[in-house]
Amino acid sequence: MMADKTLPFTNEEIRELVERFPTPFHIYDEKGIRENARRMIKAFSWAPNFYEYFAVKAAPNPYLMSIFNQEGMGADCSSMAELELAKRCGIIGGKIMFTSNATPAEEYIMARKLGAIINIDDISHIPFIEKHGGLPDLVSLRYNPGLLRTGNAIIGNPHEAKYGFAREQVFEGYKILKEKGVKRFGLHAMIASNELNGDYFVDTAVMLFELAVEVSERVGIRFGFINLGGGIGIPYRPDQEAVDIEKVSKGIRDAYKEIIIPAALHPLKICLECGRVMTGPYGFLVSKVLHKKETYKKYIGLDACMANLMRPALYDAYHHITVVGKEDMPRDQIYDVTGSLCENNDKFAIDRELPVMEPDDIVVIHDTGAHGHAMGFNYNGKLRSAELLRRENGEVIEIRRAETIDDLFATLDFKGLSKFNKL
């Protein structure tokens, strides 16, 4: 029998929520998120001024961002909207790490206005930033190791990735920044996504520590921080093991002692920009079965679709499914679990072993707390769902209402349509 995943709420709670809030909806577990944030900070308590910048792209909701702010974490932003979200949550200044690519001038200007740390993606952006708003006193560069490292399926191999400075460009970039009067420096890399091998992150730390030492010697600068990036994966499948964050931290600490301290670069601030591992396991998509279809295969049609959760269609990603009230029933049926979009890849599961399912069954799709609602879209006129937060005391509040038809049509000019039709 396949291993299972548990839920942080009872079946009775789910049924009550479905009575209060139309499905589909995403719901997040505040208790799990806070405990996870505290565990991360404790694991890296050895590091000088350790700081986690929550990757806003994973779950851009001000309530979730505020939870991390309350727990002593900041925001990793990559767009104007994410910068504005951080600002409205009271996350400003050095609490923001702005990491983007092919960046418009107005976004750099906004980042400068907020006092964010700008993490530059390309050497040509140095004069671009200087022209649009000026270079700040503190600048970080994003390093792409190319063929020196391998990536993974989601982010791609570094040599083929669009992100970051090539190795020799790193030295040239810091030299240019120094000549232009920049006084403080950071270094960053992000070369994997949803990686479950903890050694990968230790190896990344070693790579960046060694590069920082070499840059310091060759260019004559001193680093204030190293951002090790994110990419820590989560066990989407029940038989997978979570990354041991304490073990990863110990490996990074050992590398810090072996590389940074002898090079006289201590104290050096260590940063992360995790998103998926911070919220992913603590979010759930709740849906209802609308239809059951049998042709060449057996299909279960939900009231959710890939507009609510794009990962299975985009990455062929696995998300575990619980059928509420049927957890102990034999999984003796083989179903494709689908949405209603006019796309055949609109499937949450293919050939999945599940119990007998019927219309009105409540389905919970696990691990949707990161890159779930955030990747939603409106194809076929589908409306994005509500987001709920289960507070630590068990109270459930709505932190984003569901979209309406009026929301969808708000940018269309119906007033000009009658004139258009007369032409």
Side-chain angles (χ1 to χ4, degrees):
M1 182 176 178
M2 185 178 183
D4 209 350
K5 279 176 170 271
T6 58
L7 299 170
F9 27 71
T10 66
N11 290 349
E12 289 70 24
E13 284 183 273
I14 297 173
R15 291 190 177 98
E16 289 176 4
L17 285 175
V18 169
E19 291 297 318
R20 290 175 55 196
F21 301 97
T23 55
F25 57 77
H26 287 267
I27 183 168
Y28 308 98
D29 177 29
E30 180 182 0
K31 182 173 184 290
I33 292 172
R34 288 191 184 276
E35 289 177 350
N36 188 45
R38 293 166 188 170
R39 178 189 174 192
M40 176 73 77
I41 290 176
K42 182 179 179 181
F44 283 90
S45 59
W46 62 267
N49 301 312
F50 169 76
Y51 205 70
E52 151 71 3
Y53 294 90
F54 171 65
V56 176
K57 66 181 71 68
N61 188 291
Y63 286 79
L64 302 180
M65 293 168 65
S66 294
I67 289 173
F68 291 115
N69 189 27
Q70 293 165 14
E71 294 296 337
M73 296 179 171
D76 168 57
C77 299
S78 60
S79 69
M80 180 69 82
E82 291 178 2
L83 287 169
E84 182 65 31
L85 265 177
K87 174 187 173 184
R88 296 192 187 193
C89 292
I91 304 171
I92 58 174
K95 291 183 176 182
I96 300 175
M97 183 75 64
F98 182 61
T99 303
S100 63
N101 64 94
T103 309
E106 57 268 25
E107 295 188 4
Y108 278 133
I109 293 170
M110 178 66 164
R112 289 281 282 115
K113 182 178 179 181
L114 292 178
I117 298 171
I118 293 179
N119 188 27
I120 302 178
D121 181 73
D122 180 66
I123 194 166
S124 70
H125 289 207
I126 295 175
F128 186 79
I129 296 171
E130 187 176 31
K131 178 181 177 181
H132 300 284
L135 289 166
D137 182 57
L138 171 61
V139 176
S140 177
L141 302 185
R142 179 172 185 169
Y143 172 51
N144 181 331
L147 294 174
L148 297 177
R149 292 293 299 279
T150 58
N152 61 15
I154 293 179
I155 206 168
N157 284 318
H159 183 68
E160 299 176 351
K162 65 176 182 174
Y163 310 108
F165 285 59
R167 181 174 174 80
E168 284 308 312
Q169 289 178 333
V170 168
F171 296 93
E172 181 64 20
Y174 285 116
K175 181 181 177 183
I176 292 170
L177 290 170
K178 180 183 177 183
E179 291 172 350
K180 289 182 177 295
V182 174
K183 303 296 184 184
R184 299 183 295 152
F185 304 91
L187 177 63
H188 165 273
M190 173 78 177
I191 51 180
S193 181
N194 194 32
E195 178 60 57
L196 288 174
N197 180 1
D199 292 340
Y200 195 98
F201 305 102
V202 177
D203 292 342
T204 297
V206 170
M207 176 190 73
L208 289 175
F209 292 166
E210 290 177 344
L211 181 59
V213 171
E214 188 174 352
V215 170
S216 297
E217 293 173 349
R218 283 175 53 177
V219 183
I221 63 173
R222 183 179 180 86
F223 284 98
F225 72 85
I226 290 183
N227 184 342
L228 302 177
I232 298 175
I234 62 174
Y236 286 100
R237 295 179 179 272
D239 56 351
Q240 291 177 322
E241 292 186 11
V243 173
D244 186 337
I245 195 66
E246 287 78 16
K247 183 179 178 182
V248 169
S249 177
K250 181 181 182 303
I252 295 173
R253 181 180 186 179
D254 291 343
Y256 186 96
K257 289 180 178 178
E258 293 173 7
I259 301 169
I260 297 300
I261 292 179
L265 296 183
H266 174 76
L268 183 59
K269 183 177 180 178
I270 302 299
C271 306
L272 290 174
E273 54 179 41
C274 297
R276 186 188 315 272
V277 75
M278 305 307 297
T279 55
Y282 312 105
F284 307 85
L285 175 58
V286 180
S287 182
K288 267 189 175 183
V289 176
L290 288 180
H291 300 286
K292 184 176 181 178
K293 176 179 180 176
E294 295 189 16
T295 52
Y296 305 107
K297 301 182 73 174
K298 294 181 180 179
Y299 297 96
I300 295 295
L302 304 184
D303 60 5
C305 65
M306 73 175 179
N308 306 110
L309 179 63
M310 192 177 184
R311 294 189 71 255
L314 188 62
Y315 302 122
D316 193 28
Y318 178 96
H319 280 266
H320 199 63
I321 295 174
T322 294
V323 185
V324 175
K326 296 186 176 181
E327 296 87 346
D328 297 328
M329 290 178 59
R331 296 172 182 156
D332 54 4
Q333 303 295 307
I334 306 296
Y335 293 121
D336 281 12
V337 182
T338 81
S340 59
L341 288 186
C342 298
E343 297 291 337
N344 196 45
N345 66 340
D346 181 21
K347 297 178 180 180
F348 298 107
I350 298 174
D351 295 331
R352 184 72 61 86
E353 295 180 357
L354 291 164
V356 172
M357 298 171 69
E358 302 294 343
D360 292 328
D361 277 347
I362 299 172
V363 167
V364 179
I365 302 176
H366 293 247
D367 303 310
T368 69
H371 311 289
H373 190 282
M375 297 178 78
F377 55 92
N378 293 120
Y379 179 60
N380 273 176
K382 292 298 183 180
L383 303 175
R384 297 176 69 186
S385 72
E387 291 180 292
L388 312 178
L389 180 67
R390 184 179 186 268
R391 304 300 311 276
E392 290 184 283
N393 63 3
E395 177 192 10
V396 174
I397 61 173
E398 187 175 64
I399 59 174
R400 188 195 303 265
R401 67 167 175 80
E403 286 183 336
T404 67
I405 290 288
D406 287 340
D407 294 326
L408 185 64
F409 291 167
T411 57
L412 294 172
D413 182 14
F414 286 103
K415 291 182 179 179
L417 187 60
S418 57
K419 180 180 179 180
F420 175 82
N421 285 331
K422 293 178 181 178
L423 295 178

